[in-house]
């Protein structure tokens, strides 16, 4: 004769089944590990933003003045433009009304940007001194994709080597003869080094004096982290 199961008994049996499945899903001798390798390199990519602002009584005149300033800067930049070494592109171009205390439009103002990026930092610095219609608003440095790919390959190999060495050491310390990799994840990251504050202090005077922008890149760090789990083996 069979007796009906109570809801409490059914819940207890279900919990026991789930517990048994969890125990089977994670066998004994599984260890989670992580290792990181990194290298510091000189940033070899320079990004320079030049901009200007104009204002006037009507939108057309302000737009024309901005276009004239931008066209003159582009003409100078295109003389030395070289793919990968000196790349030139226009940036933000905005025009908006200026209101008085009563909310009425009493004029227009706008701004325009030119962005120059590349690996030939000395040439970019010299170009900035020859552009007279825009002023430097921002300078930044980074690791170029080319250098990052080259460095990252070596750093990844080092991180994997450290992960394997760590797994081997843990296996021996627990009395196992070896290990088998269950799962592994490789992640890369890039961080900037120390900033170069002198750039922002000198950019304006350098441009106004028709002198080359002083170039002093910092350093960046490329890091690779390997994390995963291994099954220790007898």
């Amino acid at each position: 004769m069979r007796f009906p199961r109570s809801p409490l008994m059914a819940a207890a049996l279900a919990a026991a089944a789930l517990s048994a499945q969890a125990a089977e899903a994670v066998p004994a001798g599984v260890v989670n590990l992580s290792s990181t390798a990194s290298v510091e390199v000189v940033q070899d990519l320079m990004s320079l933003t030049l901009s200007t602002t104009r204002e006037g009584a009507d939108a057309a005149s302000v737009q024309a003045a901005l276009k004239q300033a931008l066209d003159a800067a582009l003409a100078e930049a295109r003389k030395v433009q070289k793919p990968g070494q000196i790349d030139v592109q226009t940036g933000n171009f905005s025009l908006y009304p200026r209101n008085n205390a009563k909310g009425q439009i009493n004029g227009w103002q706008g701004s325009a940007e030119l962005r120059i990026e590349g690996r030939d930092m000395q040439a970019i610095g010299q170009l900035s001194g020859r552009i007279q219609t825009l002023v430097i608003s921002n300078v930044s440095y980074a690791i170029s994709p080319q250098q990052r790919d080259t460095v990252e390959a070596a750093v990844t190999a080092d991180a994997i080597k450290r992960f394997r060495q760590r797994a081997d050491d843990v296996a021996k310390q627990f009395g196992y003869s070896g290990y088998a990799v269950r799962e592994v994840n490789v992640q890369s990251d890039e961080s900037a080094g120390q900033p170069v504050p002198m750039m922002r202090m000198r950019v304006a005077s350098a441009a106004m004096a028709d002198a080359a922008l002083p170039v002093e890149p910092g350093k960046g760090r490329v890091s690779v982290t390997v994390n995963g789990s291994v099954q220790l083996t007898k």
Side-chain angles (χ1 to χ4, degrees):
M1 181 177 180
R2 295 183 177 179
F3 295 95
R5 295 179 180 176
S6 67
L8 184 60
M9 181 181 296
L13 291 173
L18 289 174
S19 179
Q21 291 176 2
E24 292 177 359
V26 184
V30 173
V31 180
N32 294 320
L33 300 172
S34 177
S35 67
T36 300
S38 63
V39 64
E40 192 175 63
V41 295
V42 175
Q43 294 166 321
D44 63 333
L45 184 66
M46 180 179 181
S47 297
L48 175 68
T49 301
L50 302 101
S51 63
T52 188
T53 58
R54 295 287 191 276
E55 58 181 39
D58 60 275
S61 63
V62 174
Q63 180 174 300
L66 288 172
K67 185 177 182 302
Q68 182 179 14
L70 190 57
D71 285 344
L74 275 170
E76 189 66 39
R78 284 170 178 159
K79 295 177 183 178
V80 294
Q81 186 175 11
K82 189 176 181 180
Q85 298 300 312
I86 304 177
D87 293 311
V88 180
Q89 68 175 46
T90 56
N92 177 61
F93 191 106
S94 60
L95 191 67
Y96 42 92
R98 184 180 56 200
N99 300 323
N100 58 21
K102 297 181 179 180
Q104 300 171 328
I105 297 177
N106 65 349
W108 289 80
Q109 56 188 13
S111 62
E113 287 183 344
L114 180 65
R115 296 172 182 169
I116 304 171
E117 181 180 273
R119 302 178 69 181
D120 192 341
M121 299 184 187
Q122 295 301 324
I124 293 175
Q126 293 170 2
L127 172 61
S128 70
R130 295 195 298 271
I131 294 177
Q132 298 298 302
T133 55
L134 306 177
V135 295
I136 300 171
S137 58
N138 185 63
V139 181
S140 62
Y141 297 95
I143 300 173
S144 68
Q146 298 91 331
Q147 181 175 207
R148 178 188 173 89
D149 289 344
T150 301
V151 172
E152 193 173 281
V155 178
T156 299
D158 188 19
I160 293 174
K161 181 180 178 181
R162 295 186 182 197
F163 181 88
R164 293 174 63 89
Q165 183 62 55
R166 176 65 175 155
D168 190 55
D169 291 343
V170 169
K172 291 178 181 178
Q173 290 169 5
F174 279 103
Y176 289 82
S177 61
Y179 66 91
V181 176
R182 284 171 53 87
E183 59 180 18
V184 68
N185 181 41
V186 180
Q187 296 178 319
S188 62
D189 182 48
E190 177 185 332
S191 58
Q194 294 297 321
V196 188
M198 54 85 67
M199 279 298 176
R200 285 188 176 274
M201 294 188 292
R202 299 177 64 180
V203 289
S205 60
M208 295 302 292
D210 192 21
L213 173 71
V215 175
E216 187 178 338
K219 290 185 178 181
R221 183 174 295 276
V222 176
S223 302
V224 174
T225 299
V226 178
N227 54 67
S229 62
V230 298
Q231 172 71 60
L232 305 182
T233 58
K234 292 293 186 179

